[in-house]
Amino acid sequence: MSGSTPPAREGAPSKDSRPSPAGNQGRILSGIKPTGNLHLGNYLGAIRNWVAMQNNFECLFCVVDLHAITAEKIEPAELTRATREVAAGYIAAGIDPAQAALFVQSHVPAHAELAWVFNCVARLGWLNRMTQFKDKAGKNREAASAGLYVYPNLMAADILLYKATHVPVGEDQKQHVELTRDIAQKFNHDYATNLFVLPEPVIQGAGTRVMSLRDGTKKMSKSDGGSDYAVIYMTDDADSIAQKIRKATTDPNPLPESVAGLEGRAEAANLLNIYAALTGQTLEQAVAEQAGQQFSQFKAKLTETAVAVLGPINAEMKRLMDDPEEIDRALKRGAEKAKAIAGPVLAEAYKTVGFLPSA
Ligand code: AMP
Ligand code: TRP
């Protein structure tokens, strides 16, 4: 079994290897795949938390295009469009590109280069436990791409290249951040170094696991385009949002008086979680506020809230998509900032491994 179990020893990064800009609580890195359209799960599970953290952390936000080609094939033009759209979504939601480094993963080659090293650090046993691979590969694993299998090693490179201290993500990414810690720890241990910093996942708020509007037991995801009523997109206009919420699956009972009353009511729980996340409340607070309501009244309130939050984001995304040069300029600047951090870390990793420095 040795070799498939991560080393028990805690990594001990020196203080010096941590980013320490004045007044800063650390450095965050996170990313979203440019596959399909951004949806409410991406917003509530990830982007919204990034916006809330951006003043206290040094921030890097990546559009992870290398990850986007690991699953089903995307039309090249669609990948290009979606890459800009994810960047537009970040900016429209309130990420300040002058402050954060906002960039495209493939613009910083160090990600792919460090990922190769991590392909040689991570054990097959570790990758075999990844639930996202199992879900995405489905029954026909033989037909899955090798890229889908080593996907978590590339994600580890994304994070460790910047010595990120915190990684704000939705619940589904927790296992990947834990694997990232295992990779950092094994590298540090095997090469007797403290180069890599062990990152903490930050999974917070009521929107860390937004479910499909049609089936409260299924995660809302970009690949669930099948039933378009299942997913609220960040680009949806007020009418589509209203229609989707109106058609959302519910049950015949009024909303419960307490969180315990949501047991066995996945759809009610999901809509209340969405409402809580949109209004910045805890689930408990949202349940107390809506106790005893009929779904029809609650859905009207939820629609009003969702439109008020998403409407301005939607309008700004449209404006930016009509001005791709503004997006591209921000991404260029972001890639330069990212490279300035990633370059020396990759060089240090290569030196640590013993690669002959290039002349
Ligand atoms: P992806 O769209 O898979 O690249 O995910 C990008 C980010 O959005 C990650 O932090 C995910 O955890 C988060 N995310 C994706 N889907 C959901 C969802 N249904 N609920 C909450 N967070 C999500
Ligand atoms: N794997 C993440 C997802 O599917 C996307 C991602 C890639 C990511 N690299 C990352 C998230 C680095 C956080 C940090 O959602």
Side-chain angles (χ1 to χ4, degrees):
M1 283 298 118
S2 78
S4 68
T5 314
R9 180 181 167 276
E10 265 291 305
S14 76
K15 269 210 165 121
D16 297 341
S17 69
R18 290 181 180 276
S20 56
N24 218 300
Q25 295 178 18
R27 181 182 285 160
I28 65 183
L29 179 131
S30 199
I32 295 182
K33 294 189 293 289
T35 47
N37 298 323
L38 288 172
H39 56 76
L40 190 63
N42 296 134
Y43 179 64
L44 296 177
I47 305 176
R48 197 167 184 275
N49 291 330
W50 307 352
V51 175
M53 294 170 84
Q54 72 177 332
N55 292 330
N56 299 323
F57 291 81
E58 185 186 348
C59 296
L60 297 124
F61 299 118
C62 192
V63 184
V64 289
D65 56 349
L66 301 176
H67 279 110
I69 60 167
T70 54
E72 61 274 9
K73 180 173 174 282
I74 311 177
E75 282 310 315
E78 169 55 15
L79 178 57
T80 309
R81 187 204 65 79
T83 300
R84 286 204 182 94
E85 191 184 271
V86 172
Y90 293 176
I91 299 171
I95 299 295
D96 176 3
Q99 211 181 310
L102 206 157
F103 67 102
V104 178
Q105 190 183 30
S106 67
H107 292 180
V108 185
H111 290 244
E113 293 168 309
L114 186 62
W116 177 258
V117 176
F118 290 166
N119 285 343
C120 305
V121 173
R123 307 289 95 183
L124 292 187
W126 303 1
L127 295 176
N128 286 338
R129 286 195 282 271
M130 294 297 111
T131 57
Q132 181 171 298
F133 175 77
K134 291 183 205 168
D135 290 348
K136 294 223 160 154
K139 289 206 172 67
N140 194 2
R141 275 203 209 184
E142 299 285 309
S145 75
L148 186 65
Y149 191 65
V150 296
Y151 176 117
N153 299 340
L154 176 60
M155 178 162 162
D158 298 340
I159 297 167
L160 299 179
L161 258 183
Y162 301 94
K163 301 185 179 183
T165 55
H166 297 81
V167 182
V169 281
E171 177 65 38
D172 61 341
Q173 295 303 310
K174 186 163 185 244
Q175 194 184 35
H176 286 159
V177 181
E178 281 162 2
L179 184 87
T180 298
R181 292 172 61 91
D182 292 340
I183 289 174
Q185 215 167 83
K186 181 164 166 60
F187 184 99
N188 285 353
H189 177 261
D190 288 356
Y191 292 101
T193 175
N194 56 17
L195 176 61
F196 292 119
V197 171
L198 271 56
E200 295 292 337
V202 180
I203 298 165
Q204 64 188 11
T208 57
R209 194 167 168 77
V210 176
M211 310 307 275
S212 156
L213 297 186
R214 302 309 297 228
D215 176 353
T217 62
K218 253 178 71 190
K219 197 180 71 170
M220 185 179 282
S221 85
K222 297 179 198 131
S223 47
D224 194 21
S227 162
D228 260 334
Y229 289 114
V231 184
I232 293 180
Y233 295 106
M234 283 173 69
T235 45
D236 280 347
D237 60 21
D239 285 347
S240 319
I241 295 174
Q243 206 179 20
K244 289 176 182 182
I245 294 178
R246 205 174 325 115
K247 284 183 182 283
T249 308
T250 53
D251 58 45
N253 300 315
L255 293 174
E257 307 284 331
S258 71
V259 173
L262 287 171
E263 188 66 36
R265 301 181 67 187
E267 283 81 16
N270 185 39
L271 294 181
L272 277 162
N273 263 315
I274 292 174
Y275 180 69
L278 285 170
T279 52
Q281 300 184 82
T282 61
L283 179 62
E284 286 72 13
Q285 289 166 329
V287 169
E289 187 195 298
Q290 296 296 321
Q293 287 278 24
Q294 297 300 326
F295 272 108
S296 54
Q297 294 159 307
F298 171 55
K299 280 183 166 182
K301 179 86 183 155
L302 180 59
T303 301
E304 189 190 309
T305 311
V307 169
V309 174
L310 295 178
I313 298 178
N314 175 304
E316 178 65 359
M317 278 178 81
K318 283 213 177 79
R319 187 193 69 78
L320 287 162
M321 288 303 278
D322 286 340
D323 185 7
E325 278 166 27
E326 182 177 339
I327 301 175
D328 293 357
R329 267 196 308 276
L331 292 172
K332 184 163 183 276
R333 228 180 330 148
E336 279 157 16
K337 285 192 227 168
K339 279 182 190 166
I341 303 174
V345 176
L346 179 72
E348 188 64 27
Y350 272 22
K351 188 170 150 223
T352 302
V353 169
F355 292 158
L356 179 70
S358 62

